[in-house]
Amino acid sequence: MVTTDTRINTETVLSVEDLRTYFTTRWGVVKAVDGISFDLRRGETLGIVGESGCGKSVTMLSLMRLIPIPPGRIVSGKIILDGEDIIPISEQEMARIRGSKIALIIQDPMTSLNPVFSIGNQVEEAIRIHQDIPRRSVTEKALEVLRKVNIPAAEQRAKDYPHQMSGGMRQRVVGAIGISCQPQVLIADEPTTSLDVTIQAQYLKLLKDIQRESNLSIIFITHDFGIVAKMCDRVAVMYAGRIVEHGSVRDIFNNPSHPYTEALLASVPKMDRDVDRLYSIEGQPPPLHDLPVGCAFADRCPDVMDKCREQYPDSLAVSDGHIASCWKLE
Amino acid sequence: MTTTESPAQTTEPGQVLLEAKNLKKYFPVTKGLLISRVTGHIKAVDDISFELRAGETLGVVGESGCGKSTTAKMMLMLEEPTDGSILFEGQDVHHTSAEVRKAYRSSVQAVFQDPWSSLNPRMRVKDIIAEPMVINWSISRSEQQARVMKLLNDVGLNEYHSNLFPHEFSGGQRQRLAIARALALNPRVIVLDEPVSALDVSIRAQIMNLLKDLQKEYNVAYMLIAHDLATVRYMCTWVAVMYLGQIVELSPVKELFINPSHPYTKALMSAALPSHPDMEQEEIILQGEVPSPLNPPSGCYFHPRCPAAMDRCSVEKPITKEISPGHSLSCHLF
């Protein structure tokens, strides 16, 4: 479980700078992602944590350039993948990058696989699109990838259709498609929420093994601090479209510095000890089309000050590599 | 047929309210369209026994297909057991008068996982919460409404909410409405089927705390179906671990977390997500998946996946043994 920091070198594969993705709706402009920045290094796992509506899925869609336009649009910012900004490039160029440099595993394996094609066919499709190799080697390669995600008797199972497989097996197939073209960045959007605990444990271990072998960088989108504790090297906590705290996984767990992070951690029951009463954050997040001028968490914050309602807090350094946006830290 | 309002009965905390004895539920598997014949049985629940006590919570954990939902349905009388009995305050609810069965049905209520599909979208909140009373009690409309207001207050909502429709609420608030409805008839037992797993992290804590407060106030017994062990540790007094229709380990919650004994329980604990990156966990990754309940393995059902399997495990079914007060399990290792 303890990740060896030696495999993470300082090479940045993905760098997001001041990304803003807005949606025009009849209620006004919804600022789903409002100025987020982070770096992802090679071989590293970054967790993006937050509750529903905090912008984590829109972040994921923006990185894949899958935002429906209209109503959405990436208003500003840079997404630098492997040295190239992917926001201004054409849709054709993006289609080449998607799957080969940056890949996605989404939550529900039932809806992300096509029910009328065999799974072998679906893994081959990804390889065929991105790699110019003869048909026979495509099949060979697909089987190799299926074996890599530990699908037993891959030759036979490749002929199966998604409905013939269990949830855990289907999610492995989705994972196989994700890694089939050796991407540099894999985005995993709650890949294990529909799986049973023992199957989830198998899947997470598999992802780690694959990561170690191919030095893959993973972005884990999740609401579950358990997944973060198990999988991630660094964590970005999102609230109302912004990253409120960012640091190494131990920084976040041992020294949560934004009141929201602190409250979230205190509201989760613990496996390893008895808790008398869970902390419960009162109220709801503000609507994203009507964000307050100051800090969006102010109304729910136990440490709120006057300044919080007047001005959005700057990102302040807590320690090396650990930042939080809160006036309390000033 | 309506009865008058049954007053909230006073029970001592810890008093056994409900006892399930050797419950079994087999679903026949048939073949053929016109002339169908039974080709086998899915043993969804296979000989389980447990007790529910006033003011206490029994957690039922296990993976999909382990029979926890079927057990819940039998408790709610939505499924008739194939064999075995449910004793409610000493009375067998399946072999008794219609009146007792009806009383049982109003004493055992449920809160389901998905608050988006468990509330009728066309009814106002006050009617949703009053419906159980309209059906079961002959009390006046104004008495009903007074009780609705009290229940709304109990679950942290207020009078203003009573005229709204379910779609006007957030997930957490809807779950509060479902809890208010479950409390309407002064139940003695509430079956909670994954009540917080569809909710956001910060809202989960609100609902769990609310459920604990209500239990203290009304001394109701909960049966909590869950898959998250941390939730179970926070909410429960007792835990039953189920695998393929059987309870493999039943224990007071503290004892189970300090001293998990059945290999399956240990594997579940090691598979559970840690609450801190430095938390020490045994690395037991179970191979394979849960076998089909249509054709369960011989001997101990867990033996094909068990890291500690011995020769006799594949032949002989282990019997249930008590290893310390209240802590029993079925495994040849003990």
Side-chain angles (χ1 to χ4, degrees):
Chain A
M1 194 167 73
V2 179
T3 45
T4 46
D5 285 321
T6 47
R7 75 185 157 76
I8 299 168
N9 51 38
T10 46
E11 190 191 343
T12 302
V13 283
L14 176 79
S15 160
V16 174
E17 288 169 28
D18 198 35
L19 178 72
R20 287 167 205 269
T21 307
Y22 294 175
F23 290 82
T24 314
T25 68
R26 63 187 158 115
W27 298 280
V29 175
V30 171
K31 297 176 175 175
V33 170
D34 198 16
I36 63 167
S37 306
F38 60 85
D39 286 337
L40 181 68
R41 285 169 280 204
R42 187 172 301 285
E44 170 186 67
T45 305
L46 172 73
I48 298 184
V49 218
E51 300 180 87
S52 12
C54 73
K56 55 191 196 300
S57 291
V58 173
T59 304
M60 174 270 288
L61 290 173
S62 306
L63 293 179
M64 295 298 288
R65 281 265 312 265
L66 289 172
I67 295 289
I69 307 170
R73 83 204 130 96
I74 296 177
V75 181
S76 68
K78 280 184 182 152
I79 301 173
I80 296 164
L81 174 65
D82 198 19
E84 182 189 15
D85 187 358
I86 59 168
I87 291 177
I89 64 173
S90 70
E91 185 48 41
Q92 282 81 357
E93 282 173 275
M94 190 59 214
R96 249 197 307 279
I97 289 174
R98 222 180 267 139
S100 67
K101 283 190 184 170
I102 184 165
L104 176 66
I105 302 178
I106 62 165
Q107 190 171 353
D108 184 359
M110 203 57 232
T111 50
S112 50
L113 291 173
N114 190 330
V116 301
F117 289 105
S118 70
I119 59 133
N121 191 317
Q122 296 187 52
V123 179
E124 283 170 28
E125 183 192 16
I127 300 169
R128 238 183 358 251
I129 288 172
H130 292 291
Q131 295 173 22
D132 193 17
I133 49 176
R135 182 172 293 185
R136 176 159 299 173
S137 19
V138 170
T139 316
E140 205 33 61
K141 195 132 193 247
L143 288 178
E144 190 187 306
V145 185
L146 286 174
R147 271 184 223 115
K148 208 169 181 181
V149 295
N150 295 343
I151 294 205
E155 288 85 357
Q156 278 97 57
R157 295 316 295 262
K159 297 189 190 90
D160 281 359
Y161 289 85
H163 74 270
Q164 292 168 295
M165 310 189 103
S166 65
M169 281 295 148
R170 278 201 291 263
Q171 195 59 285
R172 280 162 195 243
V173 173
V174 174
I177 296 174
I179 60 160
S180 62
C181 300
Q182 290 106 31
Q184 294 169 346
V185 179
L186 183 71
I187 304 176
D189 187 5
E190 311 244 13
T192 58
T193 35
S194 56
L195 305 181
D196 269 325
V197 272
T198 59
I199 308 299
Q200 167 173 280
Q202 289 173 3
Y203 195 78
L204 294 177
K205 183 169 187 299
L206 176 75
L207 272 182
K208 273 195 167 174
D209 290 345
I210 291 171
Q211 176 174 43
R212 203 167 305 129
E213 268 169 45
S214 48
N215 223 1
L216 184 69
S217 309
I218 300 180
I219 298 180
F220 241 101
I221 310 255
T222 183
H223 65 269
D224 190 337
F225 273 108
I227 299 232
V228 173
K230 197 173 179 89
M231 298 296 288
C232 299
D233 305 306
R234 284 194 305 138
V235 188
V237 181
M238 285 189 76
Y239 187 76
R242 305 200 208 204
I243 292 176
V244 293
E245 186 164 1
H246 190 161
S248 79
V249 68
R250 282 176 185 78
D251 287 342
I252 299 286
F253 275 88
N254 296 335
N255 183 23
S257 300
H258 193 284
Y260 177 62
T261 317
E262 216 176 320
L264 263 191
L265 282 168
S267 69
V268 183
K270 308 286 181 288
M271 254 288 284
D272 55 348
R273 60 179 184 274
D274 287 319
V275 184
D276 245 6
R277 193 172 176 81
L278 294 177
Y279 180 80
S280 84
I281 311 175
E282 294 310 319
Q284 310 265 344
L288 293 172
H289 56 84
D290 187 22
L291 288 174
V293 196
C295 174
F297 189 61
D299 284 341
R300 305 173 78 187
C301 183
D303 309 325
V304 65
M305 300 175 286
D306 289 341
K307 193 173 184 185
C308 303
R309 298 187 196 277
E310 288 153 17
Q311 198 184 344
Y312 192 83
D314 302 327
S315 294
L316 300 163
V318 184
S319 61
D320 188 30
H322 181 189
I323 51 168
S325 302
C326 181
W327 288 127
K328 201 177 71 171
L329 298 167
E330 226 181 1
Chain B
M1 192 188 79
T2 48
T3 51
T4 46
E5 177 177 357
S6 62
Q9 282 143 311
T10 45
T11 18
E12 292 295 310
Q15 183 193 329
V16 177
L17 282 178
L18 189 146
E19 228 183 315
K21 276 191 177 161
N22 304 98
L23 271 190
K24 288 180 189 164
K25 179 70 196 177
Y26 295 173
F27 293 102
V29 178
T30 55
K31 223 175 184 174
L33 259 178
L34 289 171
I35 315 150
S36 63
R37 60 200 159 79
V38 177
T39 54
H41 284 93
I42 287 188
K43 297 179 175 176
V45 171
D46 198 8
D47 198 359
I48 65 169
S49 306
F50 57 86
E51 287 170 348
L52 295 181
R53 294 187 169 86
E56 297 188 356
T57 305
L58 171 73
V60 181
V61 286
E63 296 175 272
S64 22
C66 73
K68 51 191 200 293
S69 296
T70 308
T71 308
K73 282 183 182 161
M74 286 195 284
M75 305 310 300
L76 294 166
M77 271 189 148
L78 298 171
E79 290 284 1
E80 196 91 346
T82 311
D83 195 22
S85 51
I86 296 173
L87 305 179
F88 183 64
E89 297 182 313
Q91 223 168 4
D92 186 335
V93 295
H94 288 100
H95 302 94
T96 183
S97 62
E99 224 160 298
V100 176
R101 289 169 70 110
K102 194 169 156 64
Y104 174 77
R105 284 201 157 111
S106 47
S107 309
V108 181
Q109 295 288 321
V111 175
F112 298 100
Q113 176 172 5
D114 183 2
W116 278 266
S117 58
S118 58
L119 302 171
N120 186 337
R122 296 182 178 211
M123 284 168 78
R124 288 182 195 276
V125 161
K126 57 178 182 195
D127 299 322
I128 291 175
I129 298 175
E131 198 179 23
M133 293 181 263
V134 174
I135 295 166
N136 288 287
W137 292 350
S138 49
I139 57 172
S140 71
R141 181 99 188 132
S142 60
E143 283 172 299
Q144 281 170 21
Q145 289 311 315
R147 183 154 172 77
V148 168
M149 296 312 157
K150 179 176 185 306
L151 290 164
L152 282 175
N153 279 328
D154 277 354
V155 298
L157 298 172
N158 55 48
E159 217 161 298
Y160 158 79
H161 295 105
S162 68
N163 272 316
L164 303 178
F165 287 96
H167 73 263
E168 294 170 88
F169 292 87
S170 67
Q173 286 176 316
R174 282 175 206 229
Q175 210 56 313
R176 288 174 191 267
L177 295 177
I179 293 168
R181 176 178 60 184
L183 285 173
L185 295 178
N186 289 324
R188 316 287 294 281
V189 175
I190 300 183
V191 176
L192 306 165
D193 190 354
E194 303 263 14
V196 297
S197 52
L199 306 176
D200 255 327
V201 188
S202 69
I203 312 297
R204 280 183 193 178
Q206 292 176 7
I207 298 295
M208 284 193 271
N209 285 342
L210 172 70
L211 285 168
K212 283 190 111 173
D213 294 345
L214 291 170
Q215 180 170 53
K216 219 170 274 164
E217 195 178 337
Y218 293 109
N219 217 357
V220 44
Y222 289 148
M223 177 163 140
L224 174 77
I225 303 208
H227 68 274
D228 178 29
L229 287 170
T231 304
V232 166
R233 176 158 202 170
Y234 181 61
M235 292 286 296
C236 298
T237 339
W238 299 84
V239 192
V241 181
M242 286 187 77
Y243 188 75
L244 272 184
Q246 299 180 325
I247 293 180
V248 294
E249 186 162 4
L250 176 68
S251 161
V253 72
K254 272 202 182 122
E255 167 88 9
L256 189 86
F257 279 86
I258 295 165
N259 182 23
S261 301
H262 195 281
Y264 180 63
T265 314
K266 285 186 183 167
L268 271 188
M269 297 260 180
S270 98
L273 295 166
S275 42
H276 190 280
D278 295 326
M279 184 177 141
E280 298 272 336
Q281 275 176 307
E282 249 181 292
E283 177 122 340
I284 312 169
I285 303 272
L286 285 185
Q287 295 307 313
E289 292 172 16
V290 185
S292 154
L294 184 60
N295 185 19
S298 61
C300 170
Y301 286 176
F302 185 57
H303 87 262
R305 299 177 80 196
C306 183
M310 303 173 286
D311 290 343
R312 68 191 277 218
C313 298
S314 58
V315 194
E316 206 182 318
K317 197 172 239 180
I319 51 162
T320 309
K321 279 154 279 196
E322 194 166 38
I323 56 165
S324 64
H327 186 176
S328 58
L329 77 165
S330 326
C331 180
H332 287 307
L333 288 174
F334 294 86

